[in-house]
Amino acid sequence: MKKQRRRMSLSRRRSVTGFVFITPWLIGFLWFYGKGAIQAVLFSLSTMTMKQSGGYQLDFAGLDNFKYVFLQHATFNQTLVSSLMNMLIDVPLIIFFSLFMALILNSKFKGRAVIRAILFLPIIMSSGAIRDSIAMAQQTIMGGVAAVSSEAAASESGVNVQYLMNMLMNLGFPATLSEYLIAAVGRIFDIVQASGIQIIIFLAALQSVPGNLYEVAQIEGATPYETFWKVTFPMVSPHIVTNVVYTIVDKFMNSDIIDVAYDMAFSSYNWSVSVAMSLISSFAVCIILFVITKAISKFVFYYN
Amino acid sequence: MKATIKERLGQIDREHLRRRLGRGVTGFLLGLLKAVILIGISYIILGPLISMLSSSFFTPADLKNPVVVLFPIEGTLGNYTQVIHTMQYPKTLLSTVIYVSALTFIQVIMCSMAGYGFARFNFPFKKLLFACVVLTIVLPADTLMLPWYMEFRDFDVLGILHLIRGSGVNLLTSPIPIYIMTTLCCGLRSGLFVYIFNQFFRGLPKEIEEAALMDGAGAFRTYFGIMLVNAMPAVLTVSIFSLVWQYNDTFYAQLFGVPTNLLMSRRIATVQETIGNSLNILDTAVTQLYLYAAVILMLVPVVIMYCVMQRRFVEGVERSGLVG
């Protein structure tokens, strides 16, 4: 009896300690996200008019904004569906590619540090200030004759896709699979650009696998293939979840749907519709994340 | 009898030799495949960068010369000196480095604590709260821009300042809002970092921490002394991401109006315009050369930092390999 009470108090103490650890996050969440999200929901449920003095006025409008987004806006539904589809198509490619690259980079070879540094570059190049300034510079210069010539060059140097398709079909590949693979080859540039973060996460995961597990596997006489599936893969599996989550969110943040909402706010000056759009698309992404992480987590190995 | 044993031994020897030879060939082929893949991918990444690097040494005459492809005929370092002058490179870099490293330090400590709390403790509503972490990753910051802006224009903690002075403080046009948000795990992609730390801590064996608790170490000592050291790959990974993203960030800096002369990311957004206006160059193709020089100058510090940290990466891992 006495023993049980003590254990209760210990687990109670553990839970209090845990709460202390997350307190800063909780305060920040309630303060910035909680409050902000309530305000955002309020915005989306009302029409907002800017006042001359610099403030704004809200008039309650019910679900009008949502009705407008779904029923009247010209491109929202289509863009949402196509953005989500693109996202789902790219995720497995990026995950496989980055795991593969991380495995290669984790093995020993000459010039490893250089290659790692090179694979790190897209992370800087494809985010924030550098990407924006380059994109802006190229926007002003592209167009007119330059655009035509570069387009012509691109079409000429491209791979003969039709020929490859026919070849794969003759080999007995299912048509959808070969289309998917060829589309993937065509987007290899985007995939490499979008995999920088995932490669580094996998690399860190691979390096935190305790070395003695490999020793045991070797002593037991496991082949490299078995070692991969019995040791490496389970140990890395939690980070597959991380990378899936990151990839989905990253694709979502760079998708057209965000631009549609952004234009609504800053070109059409219709803030409340824009917020409604963001809420709808975020909700859709949350559902996708929930379903996918639930599905994957069956195969994930955790110590506890 | 003897002969058969000898024969058998010879057979085994030959088989062994053949297998080793086979392994050598496959090994060579695999190595070749690896090299081809790595070189190809490096080319995909480096291609645009190489043309940018070579363009940054072009003079306007080189740019217009159709013979010039990668190597400039005249060539100049003038683009670089001009950009260094306009961006006040050393000064801006120094203030950026201080700002970014402070933010990274805060972010790593706070996010790792939250991640640890979620990974290793049980408390009521844990699943719901962790779903909230995922929500902060997903929700586009654009949506919350306006509420955040309003919050810091009239900053107040639980109405205390309103009681004392009658009004809040306007914290805009300073980096203070960013520091506050980062400390409370709401900074740039903090949600993602909490998630990454959570996954890493869940992957560490429980015995490490139990041993420390047995020895009578408190929760915070266990955390800083043992868990954080064992999660070194995670700490380094998150530090690298945090450094790069903060260094490159324009969203928060613009939203809160951080002064342009403080940050590289703000400088680079305006450098092309500024040089075009001050030197009276109308051709955007020419001012673009300056932008390329600026991009290279902005890349160099980060790449050096990554190379240094990456070496630590391996060391840290070898150290943490002792446990587990």
Side-chain angles (χ1 to χ4, degrees):
Chain A
M1 198 62 202
K2 213 176 173 185
K3 220 173 187 178
Q4 188 147 16
R5 215 162 67 209
R6 251 179 95 186
R7 199 183 293 157
M8 276 288 283
S9 86
L10 183 67
S11 80
R12 186 89 174 271
R13 219 187 310 149
R14 288 281 292 172
S15 85
V16 170
T17 321
F19 225 79
V20 171
F21 270 106
I22 67 156
T23 304
W25 170 82
L26 192 62
I27 293 171
F29 176 77
L30 292 176
W31 191 356
F32 296 110
Y33 280 91
K35 213 170 149 190
I38 290 170
Q39 267 171 314
V41 171
L42 281 181
F43 285 152
S44 71
L45 290 176
S46 39
T47 43
M48 188 165 80
T49 33
M50 288 290 175
K51 279 195 274 188
Q52 290 288 326
S53 53
Y56 56 87
Q57 194 190 336
L58 292 177
D59 300 303
F60 187 72
L63 291 173
D64 282 1
N65 291 320
F66 290 93
K67 270 186 203 152
Y68 170 80
V69 169
F70 278 126
L71 301 176
Q72 286 178 33
H73 191 271
T75 53
F76 181 81
N77 290 331
Q78 271 175 319
T79 320
L80 181 63
V81 171
S82 71
S83 298
L84 295 181
M85 285 311 286
N86 281 340
M87 197 167 84
L88 291 179
I89 288 169
D90 272 357
V91 167
L93 284 177
I94 290 175
I95 298 296
F96 276 118
F97 175 75
S98 48
L99 182 56
F100 178 70
M101 286 313 292
L103 284 170
I104 290 185
L105 289 180
N106 200 39
S107 60
K108 274 199 173 132
F109 59 89
K110 266 182 197 163
R112 183 169 69 159
V114 179
I115 299 279
R116 279 188 183 175
I118 289 173
L119 279 167
F120 170 72
L121 283 171
I123 299 175
I124 328 168
M125 298 293 292
S126 64
S127 76
I130 293 182
R131 186 193 59 184
D132 292 349
S133 54
I134 292 175
M136 209 156 77
Q138 276 162 358
Q139 215 169 38
T140 54
I141 204 170
M142 286 300 173
V145 184
V148 173
S149 67
S150 72
E151 219 166 86
S155 70
E156 210 159 286
S157 66
V159 189
N160 191 343
V161 173
Q162 198 56 48
Y163 174 74
L164 268 177
M165 278 289 291
N166 284 340
M167 198 174 80
L168 286 178
M169 295 273 266
N170 291 341
L171 283 172
F173 262 62
T176 42
L177 185 66
S178 55
E179 261 172 48
Y180 181 71
L181 283 178
I182 284 173
V185 172
R187 276 199 317 254
I188 185 82
F189 186 78
D190 294 334
I191 289 169
V192 172
Q193 291 281 344
S195 309
I197 298 287
Q198 291 86 333
I199 292 174
I200 293 189
I201 292 179
F202 275 137
L203 208 53
L206 286 174
Q207 300 199 334
S208 59
V209 179
N212 52 10
L213 289 184
Y214 288 112
E215 271 166 40
V216 170
Q218 208 174 6
I219 291 166
E220 299 284 338
T223 60
Y225 181 79
E226 283 168 338
T227 315
F228 176 78
W229 287 109
K230 302 267 157 139
V231 178
T232 313
F233 193 76
M235 295 305 284
V236 171
S237 57
H239 307 286
I240 294 179
V241 182
T242 317
N243 277 337
V244 167
V245 170
Y246 174 76
T247 313
I248 288 178
V249 172
D250 185 50
K251 280 274 147 195
F252 170 59
M253 292 299 172
N254 292 316
S255 66
D256 296 337
I257 198 71
I258 296 288
D259 294 340
V260 172
Y262 190 83
D263 284 345
M264 207 47 172
F266 295 100
S267 309
S268 311
Y269 299 107
N270 201 335
W271 187 270
S272 28
V273 172
S274 159
V275 170
M277 285 174 168
S278 307
L279 289 180
I280 294 168
S281 45
S282 311
F283 184 66
V285 173
C286 279
I287 288 179
I288 291 177
L289 276 181
F290 180 76
V291 171
I292 292 184
T293 46
K294 262 271 163 336
I296 303 177
S297 57
K298 275 181 194 162
F299 306 99
V300 172
F301 167 82
Y302 291 116
Y303 271 105
N304 47 339
Chain B
M1 198 64 185
K2 245 183 183 177
T4 45
I5 288 178
K6 231 179 191 175
E7 240 170 56
R8 181 87 189 102
L9 275 178
Q11 212 178 332
I12 288 172
D13 226 32
R14 251 174 286 141
E15 240 170 50
H16 185 68
L17 197 72
R18 203 181 304 144
R19 214 178 292 158
R20 256 183 65 183
L21 212 69
R23 211 180 290 157
V25 171
T26 24
F28 174 75
L29 284 178
L30 274 180
L32 196 69
L33 185 70
K34 205 157 96 176
V36 168
I37 290 172
L38 287 177
I39 290 170
I41 285 165
S42 306
Y43 176 72
I44 290 179
I45 294 167
L46 286 180
L49 206 68
I50 289 172
S51 76
M52 212 182 278
L53 182 66
S54 77
S55 303
S56 68
F57 292 106
F58 280 12
T59 61
D62 283 324
L63 183 72
K64 296 278 145 57
N65 190 344
V67 180
V68 172
V69 178
L70 261 186
F71 298 97
I73 292 176
E74 291 181 12
T76 173
L77 284 172
N79 299 338
Y80 282 94
T81 49
Q82 182 62 42
V83 165
I84 288 173
H85 175 74
T86 312
M87 288 172 83
Q88 292 174 304
Y89 187 73
K91 213 177 120 197
T92 318
L93 186 64
L94 185 69
S95 63
T96 310
V97 166
I98 293 169
Y99 164 85
V100 166
S101 9
L103 279 181
T104 302
F105 182 73
I106 297 171
Q107 202 162 27
V108 167
I109 298 287
M110 299 318 277
C111 291
S112 64
M113 270 171 60
Y116 179 61
F118 278 114
R120 280 301 160 90
F121 297 93
N122 276 318
F123 41 83
F125 304 116
K126 182 171 138 175
K127 285 207 164 147
L128 183 74
L129 288 173
F130 198 66
C132 290
V133 173
V134 177
L135 189 73
T136 64
I137 307 176
V138 176
L139 214 57
D142 293 336
T143 318
L144 297 168
M145 238 162 87
L146 195 60
W148 287 348
Y149 184 85
M150 299 304 239
E151 185 70 43
F152 285 106
R153 202 177 64 168
D154 188 18
F155 182 76
D156 202 347
V157 185
L158 300 172
I160 294 166
L161 284 173
H162 272 273
L163 274 180
I164 299 169
R165 319 187 341 167
S167 70
V169 200
N170 185 356
L171 288 181
L172 297 178
T173 71
S174 77
I176 299 172
I178 304 180
Y179 283 114
I180 293 175
M181 289 187 76
T182 311
T183 312
L184 296 176
C185 292
C186 287
L188 187 65
R189 307 212 194 188
S190 286
L192 181 70
F193 297 147
V194 173
Y195 198 100
I196 292 178
F197 272 120
N198 175 60
Q199 295 296 83
F200 266 98
F201 281 126
R202 283 178 81 177
L204 287 179
K206 256 190 171 163
E207 290 80 30
I208 308 177
E209 159 182 51
E210 270 162 11
L213 285 174
M214 285 294 187
D215 290 346
F220 279 87
R221 259 198 62 204
T222 315
Y223 170 67
F224 283 109
I226 294 170
M227 293 310 277
L228 216 51
V229 178
N230 274 294
M232 216 49 194
V235 171
L236 283 166
T237 315
V238 170
S239 312
I240 287 171
F241 294 163
S242 174
L243 270 172
V244 171
W245 281 330
Q246 307 276 5
Y247 182 72
N248 223 342
D249 166 61
T250 47
F251 178 80
Y252 280 78
Q254 258 171 21
L255 178 62
F256 299 126
V258 178
T260 314
N261 56 7
L262 210 64
L263 297 181
M264 289 287 270
S265 62
R266 300 273 282 156
R267 285 270 191 198
I268 201 158
T270 55
V271 71
Q272 197 183 359
E273 292 275 304
T274 315
I275 289 182
N277 288 339
S278 63
L279 299 183
N280 238 338
I281 306 171
L282 290 175
D283 191 352
T284 45
V286 177
T287 50
Q288 212 176 359
L289 300 179
Y290 292 103
L291 177 70
Y292 288 157
V295 168
I296 300 288
L297 281 176
M298 194 170 161
L299 278 180
V300 169
V302 195
V303 175
I304 292 174
M305 170 225 80
Y306 177 71
C307 291
V308 171
M309 283 184 87
Q310 196 241 285
R311 199 172 297 157
R312 293 212 129 188
F313 218 136
V314 180
E315 282 171 17
V317 169
E318 272 156 14
R319 212 177 303 133
S320 77
L322 292 172
V323 207

